[in-house]
mmCIF file of all heavy atoms in Angstrom:
data_model
loop_
_atom_site.group_PDB
_atom_site.id
_atom_site.type_symbol
_atom_site.label_atom_id
_atom_site.label_comp_id
_atom_site.label_asym_id
_atom_site.label_seq_id
_atom_site.Cartn_x
_atom_site.Cartn_y
_atom_site.Cartn_z
ATOM 1 N N GLU A 26 34.871 32.713 39.390
ATOM 2 C CA GLU A 26 35.173 33.964 40.069
ATOM 3 C C GLU A 26 33.990 34.912 40.003
ATOM 4 O O GLU A 26 33.693 35.587 41.002
ATOM 5 C CB GLU A 26 36.401 34.630 39.389
ATOM 6 C CG GLU A 26 36.945 35.802 40.111
ATOM 7 C CD GLU A 26 38.202 36.344 39.487
ATOM 8 O OE1 GLU A 26 39.046 35.551 39.046
ATOM 9 O OE2 GLU A 26 38.343 37.597 39.488
ATOM 10 N N ALA A 27 33.296 34.964 38.893
ATOM 11 C CA ALA A 27 32.129 35.841 38.775
ATOM 12 C C ALA A 27 31.011 35.360 39.709
ATOM 13 O O ALA A 27 30.341 36.181 40.327
ATOM 14 C CB ALA A 27 31.626 35.878 37.292
ATOM 15 N N PHE A 28 30.850 34.052 39.831
ATOM 16 C CA PHE A 28 29.817 33.476 40.724
ATOM 17 C C PHE A 28 30.154 33.844 42.192
ATOM 18 O O PHE A 28 29.271 34.335 42.886
ATOM 19 C CB PHE A 28 29.791 31.953 40.574
ATOM 20 C CG PHE A 28 28.983 31.278 41.610
ATOM 21 C CD1 PHE A 28 27.583 31.268 41.541
ATOM 22 C CD2 PHE A 28 29.572 30.724 42.756
ATOM 23 C CE1 PHE A 28 26.846 30.650 42.518
ATOM 24 C CE2 PHE A 28 28.865 30.101 43.722
ATOM 25 C CZ PHE A 28 27.473 30.081 43.608
ATOM 26 N N VAL A 29 31.420 33.696 42.578
ATOM 27 C CA VAL A 29 31.784 33.984 43.969
ATOM 28 C C VAL A 29 31.628 35.476 44.213
ATOM 29 O O VAL A 29 31.115 35.898 45.301
ATOM 30 C CB VAL A 29 33.239 33.513 44.261
ATOM 31 C CG1 VAL A 29 33.712 34.006 45.614
ATOM 32 C CG2 VAL A 29 33.280 31.973 44.217
ATOM 33 N N THR A 30 32.027 36.337 43.287
ATOM 34 C CA THR A 30 31.859 37.777 43.470
ATOM 35 C C THR A 30 30.399 38.165 43.583
ATOM 36 O O THR A 30 30.034 38.967 44.477
ATOM 37 C CB THR A 30 32.500 38.500 42.219
ATOM 38 O OG1 THR A 30 33.878 38.190 42.176
ATOM 39 C CG2 THR A 30 32.336 40.011 42.347
ATOM 40 N N ALA A 31 29.537 37.586 42.757
ATOM 41 C CA ALA A 31 28.092 37.881 42.869
ATOM 42 C C ALA A 31 27.558 37.363 44.206
ATOM 43 O O ALA A 31 26.715 38.059 44.813
ATOM 44 C CB ALA A 31 27.363 37.200 41.713
ATOM 45 N N LEU A 32 28.005 36.225 44.694
ATOM 46 C CA LEU A 32 27.564 35.707 45.950
ATOM 47 C C LEU A 32 28.029 36.570 47.129
ATOM 48 O O LEU A 32 27.287 36.876 48.031
ATOM 49 C CB LEU A 32 28.093 34.276 46.115
ATOM 50 C CG LEU A 32 27.516 33.448 47.260
ATOM 51 C CD1 LEU A 32 25.977 33.273 47.082
ATOM 52 C CD2 LEU A 32 28.177 32.061 47.251
ATOM 53 N N GLU A 33 29.273 37.078 47.055
ATOM 54 C CA GLU A 33 29.808 37.999 48.028
ATOM 55 C C GLU A 33 28.977 39.292 48.085
ATOM 56 O O GLU A 33 28.667 39.775 49.171
ATOM 57 C CB GLU A 33 31.267 38.378 47.768
ATOM 58 C CG GLU A 33 32.217 37.220 48.100
ATOM 59 C CD GLU A 33 33.655 37.479 47.578
ATOM 60 O OE1 GLU A 33 33.866 38.435 46.790
ATOM 61 O OE2 GLU A 33 34.544 36.728 48.045
ATOM 62 N N GLU A 34 28.555 39.781 46.927
ATOM 63 C CA GLU A 34 27.733 40.956 46.866
ATOM 64 C C GLU A 34 26.374 40.677 47.420
ATOM 65 O O GLU A 34 25.863 41.460 48.248
ATOM 66 C CB GLU A 34 27.653 41.431 45.414
ATOM 67 C CG GLU A 34 27.122 42.830 45.233
ATOM 68 C CD GLU A 34 27.224 43.273 43.795
ATOM 69 O OE1 GLU A 34 28.335 43.370 43.295
ATOM 70 O OE2 GLU A 34 26.129 43.484 43.207
ATOM 71 N N THR A 35 25.730 39.608 47.019
ATOM 72 C CA THR A 35 24.412 39.241 47.510
ATOM 73 C C THR A 35 24.342 39.052 49.026
ATOM 74 O O THR A 35 23.385 39.436 49.654
ATOM 75 C CB THR A 35 23.868 37.970 46.763
ATOM 76 O OG1 THR A 35 23.896 38.228 45.361
ATOM 77 C CG2 THR A 35 22.479 37.620 47.207
ATOM 78 N N CYS A 36 25.380 38.462 49.578
ATOM 79 C CA CYS A 36 25.433 38.119 50.945
ATOM 80 C C CYS A 36 26.323 39.100 51.750
ATOM 81 O O CYS A 36 26.850 38.735 52.832
ATOM 82 C CB CYS A 36 25.906 36.711 51.161
ATOM 83 S SG CYS A 36 24.794 35.469 50.423
ATOM 84 N N SER A 37 26.491 40.279 51.268
ATOM 85 C CA SER A 37 27.306 41.292 52.004
ATOM 86 C C SER A 37 26.627 41.688 53.326
ATOM 87 O O SER A 37 25.410 41.525 53.486
ATOM 88 C CB SER A 37 27.530 42.549 51.129
ATOM 89 O OG SER A 37 26.294 43.221 51.001
ATOM 90 N N GLU A 38 27.418 42.159 54.265
ATOM 91 C CA GLU A 38 26.869 42.617 55.533
ATOM 92 C C GLU A 38 25.768 43.662 55.316
ATOM 93 O O GLU A 38 24.751 43.662 55.992
ATOM 94 C CB GLU A 38 27.981 43.195 56.405
ATOM 95 C CG GLU A 38 28.944 42.202 56.962
ATOM 96 C CD GLU A 38 28.285 41.165 57.912
ATOM 97 O OE1 GLU A 38 27.362 41.573 58.664
ATOM 98 O OE2 GLU A 38 28.700 40.047 57.897
ATOM 99 N N GLU A 39 25.965 44.523 54.339
ATOM 100 C CA GLU A 39 24.967 45.584 54.038
ATOM 101 C C GLU A 39 23.660 44.977 53.568
ATOM 102 O O GLU A 39 22.615 45.379 54.014
ATOM 103 C CB GLU A 39 25.546 46.531 52.973
ATOM 104 C CG GLU A 39 24.726 47.758 52.770
ATOM 105 C CD GLU A 39 24.576 48.650 54.052
ATOM 106 O OE1 GLU A 39 25.523 48.722 54.850
ATOM 107 O OE2 GLU A 39 23.489 49.234 54.226
ATOM 108 N N ASN A 40 23.735 43.971 52.665
ATOM 109 C CA ASN A 40 22.507 43.352 52.194
ATOM 110 C C ASN A 40 21.827 42.517 53.250
ATOM 111 O O ASN A 40 20.571 42.368 53.212
ATOM 112 C CB ASN A 40 22.824 42.470 50.976
ATOM 113 C CG ASN A 40 23.007 43.276 49.708
ATOM 114 O OD1 ASN A 40 22.633 44.452 49.649
ATOM 115 N ND2 ASN A 40 23.622 42.696 48.710
ATOM 116 N N LEU A 41 22.549 41.979 54.199
ATOM 117 C CA LEU A 41 21.934 41.197 55.272
ATOM 118 C C LEU A 41 21.285 42.059 56.323
ATOM 119 O O LEU A 41 20.769 41.509 57.325
ATOM 120 C CB LEU A 41 22.998 40.239 55.901
ATOM 121 C CG LEU A 41 23.510 39.172 54.960
ATOM 122 C CD1 LEU A 41 24.584 38.317 55.639
ATOM 123 C CD2 LEU A 41 22.407 38.333 54.435
ATOM 124 N N LYS A 42 21.234 43.325 56.112
ATOM 125 C CA LYS A 42 20.569 44.227 57.048
ATOM 126 C C LYS A 42 19.072 44.384 56.693
ATOM 127 O O LYS A 42 18.319 45.081 57.384
ATOM 128 C CB LYS A 42 21.208 45.600 57.059
ATOM 129 C CG LYS A 42 22.570 45.608 57.705
ATOM 130 C CD LYS A 42 23.220 46.986 57.656
ATOM 131 C CE LYS A 42 24.609 46.958 58.242
ATOM 132 N NZ LYS A 42 25.207 48.315 58.184
ATOM 133 N N SER A 43 18.678 43.759 55.613
ATOM 134 C CA SER A 43 17.245 43.861 55.192
ATOM 135 C C SER A 43 16.660 42.473 55.015
ATOM 136 O O SER A 43 17.397 41.516 54.698
ATOM 137 C CB SER A 43 17.093 44.694 53.878
ATOM 138 O OG SER A 43 17.605 43.909 52.792
ATOM 139 N N ILE A 44 15.351 42.396 55.137
ATOM 140 C CA ILE A 44 14.665 41.137 54.919
ATOM 141 C C ILE A 44 14.881 40.668 53.473
ATOM 142 O O ILE A 44 15.141 39.502 53.229
ATOM 143 C CB ILE A 44 13.189 41.215 55.300
ATOM 144 C CG1 ILE A 44 13.003 41.402 56.809
ATOM 145 C CG2 ILE A 44 12.395 39.995 54.792
ATOM 146 C CD1 ILE A 44 11.611 41.678 57.253
ATOM 147 N N ASN A 45 14.741 41.593 52.520
ATOM 148 C CA ASN A 45 14.910 41.268 51.133
ATOM 149 C C ASN A 45 16.353 40.740 50.870
ATOM 150 O O ASN A 45 16.560 39.781 50.115
ATOM 151 C CB ASN A 45 14.626 42.502 50.250
ATOM 152 C CG ASN A 45 14.559 42.173 48.836
ATOM 153 O OD1 ASN A 45 14.018 41.113 48.402
ATOM 154 N ND2 ASN A 45 15.087 43.014 47.953
ATOM 155 N N GLY A 46 17.335 41.339 51.469
ATOM 156 C CA GLY A 46 18.736 40.895 51.314
ATOM 157 C C GLY A 46 18.947 39.531 51.895
ATOM 158 O O GLY A 46 19.600 38.679 51.267
ATOM 159 N N ILE A 47 18.400 39.237 53.090
ATOM 160 C CA ILE A 47 18.505 37.954 53.652
ATOM 161 C C ILE A 47 17.806 36.904 52.763
ATOM 162 O O ILE A 47 18.345 35.811 52.507
ATOM 163 C CB ILE A 47 17.885 37.900 55.077
ATOM 164 C CG1 ILE A 47 18.784 38.749 56.025
ATOM 165 C CG2 ILE A 47 17.742 36.492 55.600
ATOM 166 C CD1 ILE A 47 18.147 39.005 57.364
ATOM 167 N N TYR A 48 16.660 37.280 52.201
ATOM 168 C CA TYR A 48 15.903 36.360 51.340
ATOM 169 C C TYR A 48 16.738 36.015 50.065
ATOM 170 O O TYR A 48 16.811 34.871 49.731
ATOM 171 C CB TYR A 48 14.592 37.053 50.947
ATOM 172 C CG TYR A 48 13.779 36.299 49.919
ATOM 173 C CD1 TYR A 48 13.025 35.198 50.333
ATOM 174 C CD2 TYR A 48 13.759 36.647 48.634
ATOM 175 C CE1 TYR A 48 12.261 34.485 49.413
ATOM 176 C CE2 TYR A 48 13.018 35.932 47.689
ATOM 177 C CZ TYR A 48 12.281 34.879 48.100
ATOM 178 O OH TYR A 48 11.534 34.152 47.173
ATOM 179 N N LYS A 49 17.360 37.048 49.488
ATOM 180 C CA LYS A 49 18.156 36.805 48.279
ATOM 181 C C LYS A 49 19.363 35.971 48.587
ATOM 182 O O LYS A 49 19.682 35.062 47.822
ATOM 183 C CB LYS A 49 18.546 38.138 47.671
ATOM 184 C CG LYS A 49 17.431 38.864 46.956
ATOM 185 C CD LYS A 49 17.908 40.177 46.391
ATOM 186 C CE LYS A 49 16.766 40.931 45.691
ATOM 187 N NZ LYS A 49 17.197 42.221 45.169
ATOM 188 N N CYS A 50 20.056 36.270 49.630
ATOM 189 C CA CYS A 50 21.228 35.471 50.033
ATOM 190 C C CYS A 50 20.772 33.985 50.311
ATOM 191 O O CYS A 50 21.413 33.068 49.880
ATOM 192 C CB CYS A 50 21.870 36.101 51.257
ATOM 193 S SG CYS A 50 23.381 35.254 51.778
ATOM 194 N N HIS A 51 19.729 33.823 51.068
ATOM 195 C CA HIS A 51 19.243 32.513 51.377
ATOM 196 C C HIS A 51 18.904 31.734 50.125
ATOM 197 O O HIS A 51 19.213 30.550 49.973
ATOM 198 C CB HIS A 51 18.002 32.591 52.305
ATOM 199 C CG HIS A 51 17.534 31.195 52.770
ATOM 200 N ND1 HIS A 51 16.535 30.503 52.107
ATOM 201 C CD2 HIS A 51 17.954 30.444 53.827
ATOM 202 C CE1 HIS A 51 16.365 29.353 52.727
ATOM 203 N NE2 HIS A 51 17.198 29.313 53.761
ATOM 204 N N ASN A 52 18.262 32.360 49.144
ATOM 205 C CA ASN A 52 17.921 31.688 47.894
ATOM 206 C C ASN A 52 19.155 31.190 47.162
ATOM 207 O O ASN A 52 19.152 30.058 46.600
ATOM 208 C CB ASN A 52 17.147 32.587 46.977
ATOM 209 C CG ASN A 52 15.671 32.618 47.338
ATOM 210 O OD1 ASN A 52 15.195 31.867 48.143
ATOM 211 N ND2 ASN A 52 14.944 33.622 46.778
ATOM 212 N N LYS A 53 20.239 31.957 47.212
ATOM 213 C CA LYS A 53 21.473 31.522 46.530
ATOM 214 C C LYS A 53 22.240 30.466 47.351
ATOM 215 O O LYS A 53 22.983 29.647 46.803
ATOM 216 C CB LYS A 53 22.410 32.712 46.294
ATOM 217 C CG LYS A 53 21.875 33.630 45.156
ATOM 218 C CD LYS A 53 22.889 34.647 44.839
ATOM 219 C CE LYS A 53 22.360 35.546 43.700
ATOM 220 N NZ LYS A 53 22.848 35.139 42.397
ATOM 221 N N CYS A 54 22.044 30.503 48.680
ATOM 222 C CA CYS A 54 22.884 29.670 49.555
ATOM 223 C C CYS A 54 22.192 28.443 50.058
ATOM 224 O O CYS A 54 22.873 27.530 50.593
ATOM 225 C CB CYS A 54 23.305 30.478 50.774
ATOM 226 S SG CYS A 54 24.413 31.863 50.378
ATOM 227 N N GLN A 55 20.891 28.321 49.947
ATOM 228 C CA GLN A 55 20.163 27.313 50.652
ATOM 229 C C GLN A 55 20.638 25.861 50.431
ATOM 230 O O GLN A 55 20.616 25.029 51.320
ATOM 231 C CB GLN A 55 18.631 27.396 50.405
ATOM 232 C CG GLN A 55 18.186 27.113 49.003
ATOM 233 C CD GLN A 55 16.700 27.248 48.902
ATOM 234 O OE1 GLN A 55 16.007 27.184 49.900
ATOM 235 N NE2 GLN A 55 16.248 27.437 47.685
ATOM 236 N N SER A 56 21.112 25.555 49.275
ATOM 237 C CA SER A 56 21.581 24.202 48.999
ATOM 238 C C SER A 56 22.942 23.917 49.640
ATOM 239 O O SER A 56 23.388 22.737 49.618
ATOM 240 C CB SER A 56 21.649 23.968 47.491
ATOM 241 O OG SER A 56 22.617 24.777 46.882
ATOM 242 N N HIS A 57 23.574 24.908 50.210
ATOM 243 C CA HIS A 57 24.880 24.712 50.791
ATOM 244 C C HIS A 57 24.967 25.238 52.251
ATOM 245 O O HIS A 57 26.072 25.411 52.782
ATOM 246 C CB HIS A 57 25.977 25.391 49.929
ATOM 247 C CG HIS A 57 26.196 24.689 48.669
ATOM 248 N ND1 HIS A 57 25.372 24.848 47.601
ATOM 249 C CD2 HIS A 57 27.133 23.775 48.314
ATOM 250 C CE1 HIS A 57 25.767 24.089 46.596
ATOM 251 N NE2 HIS A 57 26.851 23.430 47.003
ATOM 252 N N LEU A 58 23.879 25.400 52.909
ATOM 253 C CA LEU A 58 23.875 25.904 54.262
ATOM 254 C C LEU A 58 24.518 24.872 55.233
ATOM 255 O O LEU A 58 25.026 25.239 56.269
ATOM 256 C CB LEU A 58 22.461 26.295 54.726
ATOM 257 C CG LEU A 58 21.928 27.536 54.071
ATOM 258 C CD1 LEU A 58 20.476 27.820 54.565
ATOM 259 C CD2 LEU A 58 22.788 28.756 54.291
ATOM 260 N N CYS A 59 24.440 23.610 54.843
ATOM 261 C CA CYS A 59 25.063 22.587 55.696
ATOM 262 C C CYS A 59 26.584 22.730 55.798
ATOM 263 O O CYS A 59 27.195 22.166 56.688
ATOM 264 C CB CYS A 59 24.684 21.212 55.154
ATOM 265 S SG CYS A 59 25.275 20.859 53.489
ATOM 266 N N CYS A 60 27.136 23.524 54.868
ATOM 267 C CA CYS A 60 28.622 23.767 54.907
ATOM 268 C C CYS A 60 28.999 24.538 56.146
ATOM 269 O O CYS A 60 30.140 24.592 56.572
ATOM 270 C CB CYS A 60 29.041 24.540 53.702
ATOM 271 S SG CYS A 60 28.895 23.625 52.137
ATOM 272 N N PHE A 61 28.010 25.242 56.742
ATOM 273 C CA PHE A 61 28.305 26.185 57.806
ATOM 274 C C PHE A 61 27.485 25.881 59.086
ATOM 275 O O PHE A 61 26.951 26.772 59.705
ATOM 276 C CB PHE A 61 28.015 27.636 57.310
ATOM 277 C CG PHE A 61 28.651 27.866 55.970
ATOM 278 C CD1 PHE A 61 27.857 27.930 54.838
ATOM 279 C CD2 PHE A 61 30.022 28.038 55.846
ATOM 280 C CE1 PHE A 61 28.408 28.088 53.596
ATOM 281 C CE2 PHE A 61 30.573 28.168 54.584
ATOM 282 C CZ PHE A 61 29.780 28.230 53.463
ATOM 283 N N ALA A 62 27.409 24.614 59.430
ATOM 284 C CA ALA A 62 26.633 24.216 60.589
ATOM 285 C C ALA A 62 27.242 24.860 61.861
ATOM 286 O O ALA A 62 28.464 25.025 61.964
ATOM 287 C CB ALA A 62 26.666 22.721 60.753
ATOM 288 N N SER A 63 26.379 25.209 62.770
ATOM 289 C CA SER A 63 26.863 25.800 64.034
ATOM 290 C C SER A 63 27.562 24.693 64.831
ATOM 291 O O SER A 63 27.402 23.493 64.553
ATOM 292 C CB SER A 63 25.691 26.312 64.845
ATOM 293 O OG SER A 63 24.834 25.282 65.267
ATOM 294 N N ALA A 64 28.282 25.094 65.860
ATOM 295 C CA ALA A 64 29.027 24.120 66.713
ATOM 296 C C ALA A 64 28.026 23.154 67.322
ATOM 297 O O ALA A 64 28.355 21.974 67.477
ATOM 298 C CB ALA A 64 29.808 24.889 67.764
ATOM 299 N N ASP A 65 26.847 23.633 67.705
ATOM 300 C CA ASP A 65 25.815 22.746 68.312
ATOM 301 C C ASP A 65 25.371 21.657 67.357
ATOM 302 O O ASP A 65 25.029 20.579 67.772
ATOM 303 C CB ASP A 65 24.612 23.558 68.706
ATOM 304 C CG ASP A 65 24.920 24.538 69.844
ATOM 305 O OD1 ASP A 65 25.975 24.341 70.513
ATOM 306 O OD2 ASP A 65 24.131 25.458 70.027
ATOM 307 N N ASP A 66 25.313 21.965 66.055
ATOM 308 C CA ASP A 66 24.793 21.064 65.051
ATOM 309 C C ASP A 66 25.862 20.357 64.260
ATOM 310 O O ASP A 66 25.600 19.646 63.325
ATOM 311 C CB ASP A 66 23.909 21.849 64.061
ATOM 312 C CG ASP A 66 22.690 22.404 64.716
ATOM 313 O OD1 ASP A 66 22.239 21.899 65.735
ATOM 314 O OD2 ASP A 66 22.200 23.392 64.194
ATOM 315 N N GLN A 67 27.147 20.579 64.606
ATOM 316 C CA GLN A 67 28.252 20.111 63.812
ATOM 317 C C GLN A 67 28.124 18.657 63.390
ATOM 318 O O GLN A 67 28.263 18.303 62.261
ATOM 319 C CB GLN A 67 29.554 20.340 64.584
ATOM 320 C CG GLN A 67 30.773 20.359 63.732
ATOM 321 C CD GLN A 67 30.872 21.581 62.855
ATOM 322 O OE1 GLN A 67 30.357 22.649 63.174
ATOM 323 N NE2 GLN A 67 31.595 21.497 61.764
ATOM 324 N N ALA A 68 27.885 17.787 64.343
ATOM 325 C CA ALA A 68 27.907 16.344 64.068
ATOM 326 C C ALA A 68 26.692 15.952 63.181
ATOM 327 O O ALA A 68 26.801 15.058 62.369
ATOM 328 C CB ALA A 68 27.866 15.542 65.361
ATOM 329 N N GLN A 69 25.594 16.619 63.341
ATOM 330 C CA GLN A 69 24.371 16.202 62.674
ATOM 331 C C GLN A 69 24.242 16.771 61.266
ATOM 332 O O GLN A 69 23.714 16.111 60.385
ATOM 333 C CB GLN A 69 23.154 16.622 63.489
ATOM 334 C CG GLN A 69 23.035 15.889 64.806
ATOM 335 C CD GLN A 69 21.842 16.381 65.595
ATOM 336 O OE1 GLN A 69 21.368 17.516 65.418
ATOM 337 N NE2 GLN A 69 21.389 15.577 66.528
ATOM 338 N N ARG A 70 24.658 17.993 61.014
ATOM 339 C CA ARG A 70 24.284 18.647 59.771
ATOM 340 C C ARG A 70 25.488 19.086 58.925
ATOM 341 O O ARG A 70 25.295 19.628 57.854
ATOM 342 C CB ARG A 70 23.438 19.870 60.062
ATOM 343 C CG ARG A 70 22.102 19.465 60.689
ATOM 344 C CD ARG A 70 21.237 20.653 60.800
ATOM 345 N NE ARG A 70 19.993 20.291 61.394
ATOM 346 C CZ ARG A 70 19.342 20.988 62.263
ATOM 347 N NH1 ARG A 70 19.819 22.178 62.646
ATOM 348 N NH2 ARG A 70 18.221 20.563 62.780
ATOM 349 N N ASP A 71 26.666 18.938 59.384
ATOM 350 C CA ASP A 71 27.863 19.441 58.666
ATOM 351 C C ASP A 71 28.127 18.570 57.426
ATOM 352 O O ASP A 71 28.315 17.403 57.531
ATOM 353 C CB ASP A 71 29.079 19.512 59.587
ATOM 354 C CG ASP A 71 30.271 20.062 58.944
ATOM 355 O OD1 ASP A 71 30.189 20.629 57.795
ATOM 356 O OD2 ASP A 71 31.389 19.985 59.540
ATOM 357 N N CYS A 72 28.139 19.219 56.286
ATOM 358 C CA CYS A 72 28.436 18.445 55.036
ATOM 359 C C CYS A 72 29.731 18.965 54.412
ATOM 360 O O CYS A 72 30.086 18.524 53.308
ATOM 361 C CB CYS A 72 27.280 18.595 54.036
ATOM 362 S SG CYS A 72 27.100 20.302 53.380
ATOM 363 N N SER A 73 30.471 19.822 55.107
ATOM 364 C CA SER A 73 31.663 20.433 54.503
ATOM 365 C C SER A 73 32.739 19.406 54.135
ATOM 366 O O SER A 73 33.453 19.580 53.201
ATOM 367 C CB SER A 73 32.262 21.516 55.394
ATOM 368 O OG SER A 73 32.630 20.968 56.649
#
Side-chain angles (χ1 to χ4, degrees):
E26 188 175 323
F28 169 80
V29 171
T30 300
L32 194 58
E33 286 172 345
E34 193 173 298
T35 301
C36 297
S37 70
E38 289 296 327
E39 190 60 34
N40 283 342
L41 294 179
K42 291 179 182 178
S43 72
I44 291 174
N45 190 42
I47 291 170
Y48 175 79
K49 287 179 179 179
C50 181
H51 185 266
N52 279 347
K53 288 188 180 263
C54 295
Q55 66 180 340
S56 64
H57 289 80
L58 291 178
C59 61
C60 295
F61 313 105
S63 68
D65 294 341
D66 296 335
Q67 200 72 24
Q69 294 177 336
R70 297 188 181 139
D71 184 9
C72 68
S73 60

